[in-house]
Amino acid sequence: MTRYDAVEATSYRLAREISLTGLSSWRDAVAPYFLPGRTVLDLGAGTGLFVRAFGAWFPDVSVVAVEPSPDMRSVSGLEMLAGDAESVPLPDASVDVVWMSTVVHHVRDLPAAGAELRRVLRPGGVVVLRSLFRERHHGIALFRFFPEAVRGLASFPTVQEAADGLGFVVRRLEAVPQVTAESLAQKASSVRQEADTLLRSLSAEEFEAGRARLARAALVETGPVVDHLDLLVLGMAKIAAQPAPALKG
C-alpha cells in the first residue's frame, strides 16, 4: 500500500477532511453492516476521518484502525496499529466488517490482501469499500476542473477487478452522494496536489491550469460540491460441498 510522508499526511488531512454532515449519506449506507456489538476493521485509516465518524455514528461498534504510514498515524492523533492490507496485525476471525475507504487502488497485491481479509473476517463477514473505480468516475467534480486527471484512473481497478482480485463476490454496488465542500470557494482553498492520487498524476502546469479554472468558477458559482463515490460490499463466496468419496465394497 502507498505510504505518505509527514508533508503529504498533513496536506491529506487539510484537503480531504469532510464534515460529518457532509458524510451523512455514508452513515445511512453502511448502517446495515455496523450493528451493535460488531467489530469493524478500518484498513488504511489514513488520518482517521472514518474512525471519528464511526465513533459518533455507531457508538456500540468497536473500531480497530490499521494504517501503514507512521506519519498518517501521527497526524491522526488516534490510536492506530501499524499494518497494511497484505499484513493485518489482528488474530484470525476477529472482525465482522473490513472497511476500506479510498484504499483499494493503493493495494499492490490484491490476492494476498484478499487472503488476509478472509483470515481476519468472521464467518458471514463482509468487506465494505468506499472507492472510485476506473469505469465509474462520472460523479466526481474534480474532473471538471482537472480533466487530465482522468488518466490517473489507469491505476484504479474496475469493480470486477477489485472483487476478483480480492477473491470475493459483489453483494451490493451503489453510488453514494457526499458534500465534499460547502462551496467551490472552500474547495479551491483546500485543494492540494500531493493529497490526491489523481492530482499527483498531473504535471505542475496541468495542476495550476486546473486550479485556475476552479478559482474562476468559485467566483460565480454557489452551492455545495457534491461528489458520488461508490459503495461496494463484498462477501465471501460459498464453497460448493464436495461429494463424499464412494465406499469400496
Side-chain angles (χ1 to χ4, degrees), residues 36-57:
R38 287 189 170 178
T39 299
V40 175
L41 165 61
D42 186 345
L43 182 56
T47 56
L49 173 62
F50 278 97
V51 178
R52 292 187 290 274
F54 295 151
W57 296 339

Side-chain angles (χ1 to χ4, degrees), residues 85-103:
E86 292 105 41
S87 181
V88 179
L90 294 178
D92 295 357
S94 56
V95 303
D96 302 288
V97 178
V98 177
W99 166 260
M100 299 172 69
S101 175
T102 60
V103 166

Side-chain angles (χ1 to χ4, degrees), residues 12-13 31 38 46 48 52 110 125 133 140 178 182 218 227 230 241:
Y12 186 97
R13 182 156 189 181
R38 287 189 170 178
R52 292 187 290 274
L110 288 174
F133 295 98
I140 304 299
Q178 63 184 41
E182 293 300 320
D227 289 312
D230 279 323

